[in-house]
Amino acid sequence: MSENVFPLILAELKAFAATAPSLNALQEFLVELIPARLFYYNWTGFYMLDPEDAETLVLGPYRGAPTEHVRIPVHQGICGAAVAQDQTVIVDDVNSDPRYLACSLETRSEIVVPIHAHGKVIGEIDIDSHNLAAFTAADRDFLEQCAKIVGSYVERTK
Ligand code: SME
């Protein structure tokens, strides 16, 4: 079902990225578009590495419940793990993962996908769902392509 929506979102994202005025505008476009199309993406946002401190992730544009986790050290949380391991992390049940930093009590599962530019991790896309085990290999492929579009934009513009 959502598999049919992924290519459409990616096409819109690529088109916007071609002329996006700024990284922030591209990030805002993505966090607006994705949850509007994918009902089980209940929190969609960016954490980017602080340019002044490579050990800390800073909350960027997001949609969903406000979070107290505005800055996350890279050795904390599922967000930190995705950067530290430099790979996508999927957690089917956040309540049984000791790394999990709670944002909303309703969250049941999470996926975090690193973003790369110039061969290095620069941040990540974080999605929370109120459904258990919401994220499949198809979501991973989709979000890794979203991350690639954002990373390519950064490479073109910085
Ligand atoms: N759950 C994340 C923290 C960020 S909030 O979900 C928005 C984590 O465990 O790193």
Side-chain angles (χ1 to χ4, degrees):
M1 180 193 38
S2 45
E3 277 82 348
N4 301 328
V5 178
F6 294 149
L8 299 174
I9 297 176
L10 287 168
E12 285 186 55
L13 190 60
K14 271 185 201 149
F16 187 85
T19 58
S22 66
L23 173 61
N24 189 260
L26 181 58
Q27 291 173 314
E28 286 287 350
F29 184 83
L30 186 143
V31 300
E32 184 67 30
L33 179 67
I34 291 185
R37 302 288 173 80
L38 298 167
F39 61 91
Y40 57 100
Y41 282 41
N42 298 110
W43 193 97
T44 301
F46 285 90
Y47 281 96
M48 304 303 284
L49 283 174
D50 184 345
E52 309 290 307
D53 171 12
E55 296 291 297
T56 304
L57 289 157
V58 182
L59 180 64
Y62 72 94
R63 291 293 181 280
T67 175
E68 67 188 83
H69 302 296
V70 174
R71 294 178 68 84
I72 301 179
V74 292
H75 54 269
Q76 279 182 23
I78 295 163
C79 287
V83 164
Q85 298 166 20
D86 192 5
Q87 60 187 20
T88 298
V89 176
I90 296 178
V91 176
D92 286 341
D93 178 2
V94 293
N95 291 320
S96 63
D97 191 316
R99 299 171 299 182
Y100 177 63
L101 301 170
C103 163
S104 157
L105 290 177
E106 288 180 293
T107 297
R108 292 288 174 273
S109 58
E110 177 161 6
I111 181 169
V112 186
V113 179
I115 302 167
H116 298 93
H118 306 296
K120 284 193 285 198
V121 183
I122 57 164
E124 61 194 24
I125 304 172
D126 178 19
I127 318 279
D128 295 347
S129 180
H130 296 172
N131 300 350
L132 269 178
F135 304 108
T136 64
D139 292 276
R140 169 199 287 256
D141 287 350
F142 163 65
L143 289 167
E144 287 179 352
Q145 289 186 66
C146 291
K148 204 168 265 181
I149 292 168
V150 175
S152 302
Y153 180 86
V154 171
E155 288 182 349
R156 277 207 317 278
T157 55
K158 275 190 196 159

